[in-house]
Amino acid sequence: MITIGSHLSVSAGYAAMAEKMAGDYKGNTYAFFLRNPRGGKMKAPEEADLERMQEIRRANAFGPMVAHAPYTMNPCSAREDIRDLARQMMAEDLAQMERMAALSPEEPIYYNFHPGSHTGQGAETGIQETAEILNRVLDPDQKTTVLLETMAGKGSEIGRSFEELRGILDLVERKKAEHLGVCLDTCHIWDGGYDIKDDLDGVLKAFDAVIGLSHLKAVHLNDSKNPRGAAKDRHEKLGEGEIGLEALRHVVQHPALQGRPFILETPNDDAGYRKEIALVKSWIRE
Ligand code: FE
Ligand code: FE
Ligand code: ZN
């Protein structure tokens, strides 16, 4: 069975997210921000709300959740205060993730973040700084797997190439790196220059050679408003962008990607998400 869902708002609570996904969208996973995506203060969830969420997820045979770090979190800013804030936010977020993990210790749980923008320091320095924060924040005994997201390369973003992500992974201490993985965003790698439309096999082969497919834990399934290599990062609804439905169907059906949660981050309303989730499910049922 495919694991498919979308990003959801946590504003009505944690159980409400699981309920909305199961009952309204008919999916079986979701992503969410633990705090305002711009980074504000964290409101720690009530234990009863988390327990209720896990009950709903179990009753509906959900796949793993994929939480998303705030967009503004920049672990490799040239400014030290911004890096400190990133470290603090990640540590706080991971503490909450561990509360959720403790309620379902047998299943994987993911926390996805953007490796950051080096803001002029150069990619190599950026890679070192992001790895340093991971070394400080990761705990060898944690249950949460932290995912580096593949990026479009907008501005000074690091993580546009598989090699840059590999560079970060290589600098994290072994015991801690066991809790790291990668989340592949189809819009981002397309905007970053990878041709998933005409050479999906080749792209996945490159991923395997540089990072290793066993590290690929989740997929963000998005079309792109821009042509390949644009380095822009503007998501589009499935089939309405430059990647197109056919290529996205091949991504969902690719043997090397089975078993991963697929998360939609497309510009949709409720009806649009219902439709896209049903469509993606139909691709696997065939
Ligand atoms: Fe993201
Ligand atoms: Fe994404
Ligand atoms: Zn994006």
Side-chain angles (χ1 to χ4, degrees):
M1 196 174 68
I2 185 170
T3 304
I4 174 74
S6 67
H7 195 98
L8 289 176
S9 163
V10 77
S11 58
Y14 282 71
M17 278 194 295
E19 214 160 67
K20 184 176 180 76
M21 185 50 66
D24 184 1
Y25 287 4
K26 311 283 187 229
N28 56 0
T29 184
Y30 48 89
F32 57 98
F33 294 117
L34 289 138
R35 63 178 84 216
N36 180 306
R38 304 207 180 284
K41 270 232 177 315
M42 136 110 44
K43 196 171 140 254
E46 305 274 346
E47 195 66 14
D49 190 22
L50 294 182
E51 280 167 9
R52 177 83 190 112
M53 168 184 76
Q54 297 297 36
E55 271 167 35
I56 298 166
R57 292 182 61 251
R58 255 193 299 272
N60 292 279
F62 271 39
M65 293 184 283
V66 190
H68 200 303
Y71 286 138
T72 49
M73 188 177 102
N74 187 2
C76 63
S77 168
R79 276 176 54 183
E80 196 183 358
D81 58 329
I82 292 178
R83 294 200 302 276
D84 283 345
L85 185 64
R87 179 166 44 80
Q88 229 178 313
M89 283 199 280
M90 193 184 275
E92 279 175 22
D93 283 1
L94 284 177
Q96 298 303 324
M97 294 300 294
E98 290 299 296
R99 290 179 61 203
M100 291 179 237
L103 294 173
S104 296
E106 66 295 336
E107 67 164 348
I109 184 166
Y110 300 128
Y111 176 77
N112 170 72
F113 79 106
H114 296 178
S117 298
H118 64 69
T119 60
Q121 312 183 85
E124 202 164 324
T125 302
I127 286 166
Q128 283 166 9
E129 286 174 347
T130 295
E132 186 191 317
I133 284 189
L134 290 169
N135 275 321
R136 290 183 65 178
V137 168
L138 293 177
D139 173 349
D141 294 323
Q142 73 184 53
K143 294 218 167 60
T144 307
T145 301
V146 175
L147 307 182
L148 302 153
E149 184 166 350
T150 60
M151 300 310 295
K154 175 179 55 163
S156 65
E157 272 174 359
I158 60 168
R160 173 178 180 162
S161 69
F162 300 154
E163 284 78 7
E164 287 183 353
L165 294 178
R166 177 81 258 171
I168 298 167
L169 296 172
D170 280 345
L171 291 175
V172 177
E173 296 159 34
R174 197 176 50 82
K175 280 277 166 222
K176 296 176 180 176
E178 283 168 14
H179 303 287
L180 286 177
V182 171
C183 172
L184 185 146
D185 186 309
T186 54
C187 167
H188 295 177
I189 63 170
W190 170 261
D191 282 24
Y194 289 102
D195 191 357
I196 53 170
K197 191 171 181 171
D198 290 321
D199 187 22
L200 177 61
D201 280 337
V203 172
L204 293 177
K205 227 177 246 155
F207 187 100
D208 195 32
V210 177
I211 297 173
L213 280 168
S214 63
H215 291 98
L216 178 47
K217 303 296 187 190
V219 177
H220 285 169
L221 189 67
N222 304 306
D223 211 327
S224 172
K225 284 192 196 295
N226 289 287
R228 181 164 76 86
K232 282 278 194 350
D233 189 1
R234 300 277 314 282
H235 302 190
E236 184 52 284
K237 295 177 182 135
L238 305 189
E240 293 185 22
E242 298 283 327
I243 302 173
L245 220 47
E246 182 78 359
L248 291 166
R249 180 166 62 82
H250 287 142
V251 168
V252 169
Q253 293 175 333
H254 200 285
L257 299 179
Q258 298 317 296
R260 276 76 168 184
F262 288 86
I263 304 287
L264 299 163
E265 300 174 311
T266 43
N268 269 310
D269 53 14
D270 285 345
Y273 282 126
R274 272 181 223 123
K275 199 175 101 190
E276 289 191 348
I277 287 169
L279 176 68
V280 171
K281 280 160 81 177
S282 78
W283 289 341
I284 287 293
R285 244 183 269 114
E286 282 169 8

